[in-house]
Amino acid sequence: MAFEAQGAPLRYDGAMEDALFPHTEMTALDWLADAAIALAAFAFGCLQLYLAVNLLIPDEAMRRFLGIEALVPTANAIAAVAVTTLPLVLRRRLPWPCLVFVLAAWAFGQTASQDISLSIVGPLVALFTVAYCRTRPEAIAATCLAALFVLIVPTAMRPSYLVQLTLIQNLALLAAAALAGQALQLNRAYAAEAEQRALAAERNRETEAQRRVEEERVRIAREVHDITAHSLSAVSIQAAVAERLVKTDPAAAEAAIHEVRATAKDALGEMRAMVGVLRSGNDGPETAPTAGSDRLGDLLAYLEGAGIQATLDDSRYQRGQVPVFIDVALFGIAREACTNIVRHARATRASITLACQQAAGQQQAVLVVQDNGSAPKQLKIETSGHGLKGMEERVRLLHGTLQTGIGKDGGFVVKATVPLESAASPAPSAEPAPQEV
């Protein structure tokens, strides 16, 4: 609610209203459970009403010596127990009013009785509920209130030591009920916090995975840009030649047009192979040029700067015969492999081999990156990291194969094999397991 004073609103935060009448949502099952608890407390109170004396001191002569008579509960005594227990049905919906009511009912029933000692089970359950559902200061206040009622309410027991024993017992039970409620509340809060942390960690993992995918998409967009720029430049030059020679040298113009057609056809196949990975994304692709195999020397410098002795062998690699999109993809795989070596392998030596070879009736480009580091450490990134996933996706789109695992001489090996005459459509998705190279 809000109050107005001289044009300025004065707000009431509703703390007292929330304490007395909290907005607790309860289902039919919750009401049924609380009704069962109230009935169980009532039955326990009635049983304790009869058994407290007759079973605690079963010898009749001893009871008479102590001035205690064996009693049969009267209707008024049972009604007093009902008044202190049945309101527990409302214990979660109205925790504070329920506690105050059962304490007052218990005090009145205990004071009015001349022959019995009422069970304190009703106030115990109500106090436990306040300690469990409300804040710690409220739990302390409720415990002090209940203890005050127990201390000032007289008991019907005549022997003084039984009075003291009952008083200590009731105070101890009140403290135990309050501590149990707070303990369960802390446990519930801890479980909820742990669940929130788990959800946050899951969201972070998803965000990180999405970020890695976006980075890979950007890199592939760069490669597509390079393919387009290279092919269209060749097409433009050949078209200009054909236009110039079409009248003076028709044969040369026809050859230039043929070259335009072949270049356009090759570029179309390359674009179809690469653009399949560019799935939906909100940001436009980056079109800065990406590096090819002519920049492998930079990778050697990167490894040596990290204290790793590195070698490069590309003597059997014919760069002019390899399509641009395959060349830049192989460089990207080599760069990711070198990054993993520096971050994870703890290696002292590494080698990069790039070659073209004839196998199974077709020309292939083969890239091998190997180190002498800790292979088990490298293998951990197979499931938790995204570097190998990116390599695998690149090679799959080029209809090639990627092998990763422990080499024959130890260390970790990444071997990518890509056919130079790949099909125009992307290859189906696969999840090959790491294997020994």
Side-chain angles (χ1 to χ4, degrees):
M1 65 181 65
F3 301 94
E4 299 290 337
Q6 297 181 354
L10 297 179
R11 300 246 175 226
Y12 167 60
D13 60 5
M16 182 61 69
E17 181 180 355
D18 179 66
L20 295 178
F21 307 102
H23 302 287
T24 304
E25 298 293 336
M26 295 184 60
T27 64
L29 186 60
D30 294 331
W31 285 109
L32 183 61
D34 285 349
I37 291 174
L39 290 176
F42 172 70
F44 180 82
C46 292
L47 184 64
Q48 187 180 16
L49 188 65
Y50 177 80
L51 298 180
V53 172
N54 293 281
L55 292 185
L56 180 63
I57 308 177
D59 184 69
E60 183 177 357
M62 180 61 70
R63 289 199 304 269
R64 291 180 179 179
F65 175 75
L66 296 175
I68 302 173
E69 297 181 1
L71 302 173
V72 175
T74 64
N76 291 336
I78 295 176
V81 174
V83 173
T84 62
T85 55
L86 295 184
L88 295 176
V89 174
L90 302 173
R91 66 188 186 91
R92 279 191 284 181
R93 188 65 182 85
L94 304 170
W96 268 107
C98 180
L99 173 64
V100 173
F101 181 83
V102 296
L103 280 174
W106 178 83
F108 178 80
Q110 187 65 69
T111 303
S113 175
Q114 298 298 321
D115 300 318
I116 62 173
S117 178
L118 287 180
S119 172
I120 200 172
V121 63
L124 287 178
V125 176
L127 176 60
F128 169 84
T129 304
V130 172
Y132 177 68
C133 298
R134 307 300 300 175
T135 63
R136 182 173 298 179
E138 291 183 61
I140 295 175
T143 304
C144 294
L145 178 64
L148 182 63
F149 270 85
V150 169
L151 289 172
I152 65 175
V153 172
T155 180
M157 294 184 179
R158 280 168 277 184
S160 60
Y161 76 89
L162 286 180
V163 173
Q164 298 298 326
L165 179 63
T166 302
L167 178 62
I168 294 174
Q169 169 190 281
N170 288 342
L171 291 176
L173 290 174
L174 290 174
L179 290 175
Q182 279 290 288
L184 285 179
Q185 184 189 89
L186 291 175
N187 182 70
R188 180 185 62 179
Y190 177 80
E193 183 179 356
E195 182 178 359
Q196 289 298 324
R197 286 199 300 266
L199 292 176
E202 182 65 25
R203 286 193 296 269
N204 290 338
R205 284 194 295 269
E206 293 176 356
T207 302
E208 178 66 14
Q210 182 64 27
R211 186 182 68 83
R212 294 284 186 172
V213 170
E214 291 296 334
E215 290 179 355
E216 184 66 19
R217 187 178 294 134
V218 166
R219 286 195 293 268
I220 296 178
R222 289 178 178 176
E223 295 171 10
V224 171
H225 172 267
D226 286 352
I227 295 169
T228 305
H230 173 79
S231 301
L232 290 183
S233 296
V235 168
S236 177
I237 293 173
Q238 295 297 332
V241 171
E243 183 182 15
R244 181 174 301 176
L245 300 178
V246 67
K247 293 182 179 180
T248 60
D249 192 350
E254 183 179 356
I257 293 174
H258 178 75
E259 186 67 23
V260 167
R261 179 177 179 277
T263 302
K265 182 178 179 181
D266 292 342
L268 180 61
E270 295 173 2
M271 288 293 295
R272 286 176 177 174
M274 292 300 300
V275 81
V277 77
L278 298 178
R279 294 179 288 271
S280 62
N282 297 326
D283 300 329
E286 184 179 340
T287 57
T290 199
S293 61
D294 57 329
R295 302 290 299 275
L296 288 175
D298 295 344
L299 299 183
L300 291 185
Y302 169 69
L303 292 172
E304 291 172 352
I308 300 173
Q309 182 181 355
T311 60
L312 171 65
D313 180 9
D314 60 350
S315 58
R316 294 178 295 158
Y317 183 70
Q318 292 84 38
R319 185 174 293 107
Q321 300 180 6
V322 178
V324 176
F325 72 102
I326 294 180
D327 185 75
V328 295
L330 290 174
F331 176 79
I333 294 171
R335 177 176 54 196
E336 190 65 44
C338 291
T339 301
N340 288 340
I341 291 174
V342 173
R343 291 182 178 178
H344 306 287
R346 299 179 182 176
T348 59
R349 296 191 309 275
S351 63
I352 304 174
T353 303
L354 184 60
C356 293
Q357 64 182 24
Q358 189 76 19
Q362 64 177 175
Q363 193 76 0
Q364 296 177 338
V366 180
L367 169 69
V368 179
V369 181
Q370 184 172 4
D371 63 74
N372 67 338
S374 174
K377 181 69 174 178
Q378 278 267 34
L379 285 173
K380 290 181 180 179
I381 65 174
E382 180 71 26
T383 56
S384 61
H386 299 272
L388 298 184
K389 296 291 185 182
M391 298 181 200
E392 178 186 329
E393 187 172 12
R394 284 170 177 262
V395 174
R396 177 178 58 82
L397 289 171
L398 300 176
H399 294 265
T401 59
L402 179 72
Q403 295 173 292
T404 60
I406 302 173
K408 296 180 180 179
D409 300 328
F412 195 74
V413 179
V414 174
K415 181 179 180 181
T417 304
V418 179
L420 298 185
E421 298 178 358
S422 58
S425 60
S429 176
E431 297 289 341
Q435 55 183 310
E436 183 173 335
V437 180

